[in-house]
Amino acid sequence: MAKITFVDSEGKSRTVDAEVGSTVMETAIRNSIPEILAECGGACACATCHVYVDEGWLAKTGKASAMEEDMLDFAFEVKPTSRLSCQIKVTADLDGLVVNTPGKQG
Amino acid sequence: MSDIIATDVVIVGAGPAGLFAVFELGLLDIRAHLVDILPRAGGQCSELYPEKPIYDIPGFPIVTGQGLVDNLVQQIEPFHPTYHFGEMVVSLEALGTADKPAFRVQTDAGKTFECKCVIVAAGGGSFQPKKPPIAGIDAYEGKSVHYAVRRMEDFRDHNVMIVGGGDSALDWTLNLHPVAKRITLVHRRDEFRGAPHSVNSMRELVEAGKMDLVIGQVGSLAGEGGELKTATVKLNDGTTRDIACERMMPFFGLTMKLGPIADWGLNLHENLVPADTEKFETSTPGIFAIGDINTYPGKLKLILSGFHEGALAAQKVHRYVYPDKKLTFQYTTSSTSLQKKLGVN
Ligand SMILES: Cc1cc2nc3c(=O)[nH]c(=O)nc-3n(C[C@H](O)[C@H](O)[C@H](O)COP(=O)(O)OP(=O)(O)OC[C@H]3O[C@@H](n4cnc5c(N)ncnc54)[C@H](O)[C@@H]3O)c2cc1C
Ligand code: FES
């Protein structure tokens, strides 16, 4: 188990349990986190699971793959901290991870 | 009124549920037209996960999204369905009575159908262009901001800003270049996902000074009365740049939106259409709902559920289309009459 905190675009934060081996997107959907749509169910094909990784966690989540960067072209207001949450695998190392969700996904 | 298309059934949505419904209707001698806003068949399977494997289609231990769609299209071929792609069904009007339903269906491309029954197989809704969250963009939509090109002439002699880095953005950059006064392509990074030859053609135009490429993201718009004048682009170094443009086309891919279905007088429950589980008919006799768009106790949003629902809906459609004919239950394996329809006997 790892704890993940989702902070929405209005600043409200929600901390939930994430299963190691699942993805940050799956964790969000299972816990009905708002502002994560995930229309393609994790296929890296819709960019509606866009999150901003908290600066302090960037080293641990790593960078987007080339395919993910391509898909990020379909997200809005992309920043250097942008990731698609379906492409972040939960590991024990990510216990405490904080991500921010954008106001508009689709 | 010569261009009204008369048919038995109009199917809204050419995803797996809509496609297979053609088969079940066809076995009962019922003709169908399929309408989809996408340019091709397959709904979510071909739009969202064409290359991904599906493991729970009965009889196929593994099949890709596109593989399944290709098979379905082949399977329904004997019934010659007519496909109307790139068109959204916008209105649905009842013309008949509960015993003898009839409907008029219209698309945004101006097509009109008159049919006896409608099968709503709209899945997660119609795939529509994503609208970027730029303050006030709504006011310019339709006049200055477009998500598709209906007429190239609308762009003639205008400064056109195209936003995005995929094939649509690049294709329209190249297509509108000869027509527009000047094209500015705005993309968040200096890398393009689109087809390499389009990327090269675009870069050549930029080098020759025939168009502009700006790396950044659109921050705000300015104009009057729906007429766009300038877009302010946030460059990646934190500065901004005002760029004159009277037309803008943002390309951020597609998203599923319920769309016009909400206006068809159907009962809705959380953006889904309630249907019974005997014939998958909605609150309006003659209108059916199958696949992901419907809801009923125990509903599972699975492809196989959509297949089952289409088969049962077809039985009731038959009663509306052929009120005097009795339906006898038959197997495709052994019925010579069904095999004749399938063209295998
Ligand atoms: C990543 C992913 C993986 C999946 N994996 C599986 C799996 O393994 N097994 C499984 O059973 N299911 C799976 N599904 C679910 C499956 O794809 C859906 O259940 C199925 O696509 C539903 O089919 P449908 O025909 O009802 O709707 P859709 O496939 O959503 O098609 C509906 C079509 O209707 C069109 N439409 C809607 N409104 C209009 C309108 N007004 N005018 C014109 N066109 C309109 C849309 O553009 C769309 O093309 C998966 C889904 C996703 C996203
Ligand atoms: S869920 Fe679609 S890209 Fe992540």
Side-chain angles (χ1 to χ4, degrees):
Chain A
M1 281 292 175
K3 294 248 184 250
I4 298 183
T5 301
F6 294 87
V7 184
D8 71 21
S9 57
E10 270 154 25
K12 188 170 168 16
S13 87
R14 298 170 176 85
T15 302
V16 298
D17 286 326
E19 214 174 288
V20 168
S22 69
T23 67
V24 173
M25 178 279 280
E26 287 169 331
T27 306
I29 296 298
R30 258 178 230 151
N31 291 282
S32 310
I33 297 292
E35 299 185 344
I36 298 282
L37 283 183
E39 273 181 4
C40 80
C44 198
C46 72
T48 62
C49 64
H50 178 203
V51 297
Y52 304 112
V53 175
D54 187 79
E55 301 267 355
W57 287 92
L58 278 176
K60 284 201 171 132
T61 54
K63 276 201 171 319
S65 67
M67 179 169 93
E68 186 183 338
E69 274 295 340
D70 281 355
M71 205 21 78
L72 274 168
D73 286 350
F74 286 148
F76 300 128
E77 297 181 37
V78 176
K79 301 178 190 169
T81 56
S82 288
R83 289 291 309 268
L84 294 177
S85 57
C86 67
Q87 303 300 307
I88 309 177
K89 268 236 173 340
V90 177
T91 59
D93 256 11
L94 288 185
D95 187 22
L97 173 69
V98 179
V99 299
N100 298 275
T101 50
K104 192 168 191 287
Q105 295 275 12
Chain B
M1 294 295 238
S2 59
D3 49 357
I4 289 179
I5 303 171
T7 182
D8 296 327
V9 177
V10 170
I11 302 175
V12 182
L19 290 173
F20 193 65
V22 170
F23 187 87
E24 292 294 337
L25 293 168
L27 289 180
L28 308 181
D29 296 316
I30 302 165
R31 282 271 303 151
H33 283 246
L34 285 152
V35 187
D36 204 301
I37 181 95
L38 291 178
R40 69 190 83 84
Q44 294 173 47
C45 303
S46 46
E47 191 58 31
L48 293 174
Y49 58 103
E51 310 289 333
K52 293 251 165 187
I54 312 176
Y55 299 101
D56 59 353
I57 303 298
F60 288 92
I62 178 171
V63 62
T64 60
Q66 192 57 50
L68 174 69
V69 171
D70 291 346
N71 282 343
L72 283 167
V73 167
Q74 187 192 342
Q75 190 169 22
I76 66 178
E77 193 41 48
F79 302 112
H80 310 292
T82 315
Y83 297 98
H84 305 267
F85 290 129
E87 291 184 43
M88 176 151 75
V89 175
V90 284
S91 77
L92 171 53
E93 199 187 324
L95 307 172
T97 59
D99 295 338
K100 211 169 172 294
F103 301 92
R104 180 178 297 134
V105 176
Q106 279 174 310
T107 73
D108 62 349
K111 267 183 210 155
T112 303
F113 299 88
E114 284 186 4
C115 57
K116 300 186 173 106
C117 293
V118 173
I119 295 184
V120 180
S126 54
F127 280 95
Q128 294 180 17
K130 281 190 201 163
K131 301 183 174 185
I134 305 169
I137 192 168
D138 298 6
Y140 301 105
E141 282 169 2
K143 258 191 188 166
S144 296
V145 175
H146 299 271
Y147 298 94
V149 176
R150 286 257 179 246
R151 295 182 332 131
M152 299 262 279
E153 280 308 304
D154 294 343
F155 296 83
R156 183 171 295 281
D157 300 332
H158 283 300
N159 292 301
V160 180
M161 179 176 286
I162 292 180
V163 191
D167 282 314
S168 306
L170 288 165
D171 289 350
W172 284 113
T173 296
L174 301 176
N175 289 338
L176 290 175
H177 176 259
V179 179
K181 188 165 159 197
R182 184 131 190 119
I183 300 247
T184 306
L185 177 62
V186 177
H187 184 40
R188 70 175 184 97
R189 55 182 184 140
D190 201 7
E191 263 171 79
F192 292 82
R193 187 185 60 245
H197 70 269
S198 316
V199 179
N200 292 341
S201 309
M202 180 274 292
R203 294 226 188 260
E204 279 166 23
L205 287 175
V206 173
E207 259 165 49
K210 292 183 175 157
M211 63 165 279
D212 299 307
L213 170 63
V214 176
I215 305 302
Q217 299 180 66
V218 179
S220 60
L221 306 176
E224 251 174 58
E227 302 283 356
L228 183 62
K229 289 210 174 86
T230 355
T232 304
V233 178
K234 292 184 272 188
L235 306 180
N236 291 355
D237 62 7
T239 60
T240 61
R241 192 165 136 197
D242 290 343
I243 297 169
C245 58
E246 298 86 49
R247 295 286 180 271
M248 173 182 274
M249 300 200 74
F251 291 107
F252 287 94
L254 304 173
T255 183
M256 287 181 280
K257 289 264 152 66
L258 181 64
I261 295 169
D263 310 325
W264 297 348
L266 299 170
N267 279 346
L268 286 182
H269 177 72
E270 291 180 353
N271 278 349
L272 296 169
V273 182
D276 66 58
T277 50
E278 183 193 339
K279 40 203 193 320
F280 299 94
E281 203 163 15
T282 66
S283 53
T284 308
I287 302 182
F288 298 78
I290 63 170
D292 278 13
I293 191 72
N294 75 12
T295 179
Y296 51 82
K299 167 73 182 181
L300 284 180
K301 284 192 188 183
L302 286 177
I303 294 166
L304 73 87
S305 315
F307 292 166
H308 161 81
E309 293 158 13
L312 267 61
Q315 300 286 312
K316 182 67 194 277
V317 172
H318 183 271
R319 278 206 260 154
Y320 288 128
V321 175
Y322 300 110
D324 304 325
K325 271 200 214 166
K326 205 174 155 278
L327 249 188
T328 39
F329 180 74
Q330 305 175 78
Y331 292 119
T332 53
T333 319
S334 45
S335 156
T336 48
S337 96
L338 291 187
Q339 286 170 2
K340 206 180 232 153
K341 295 176 199 180
L342 289 166
V344 291
N345 190 336

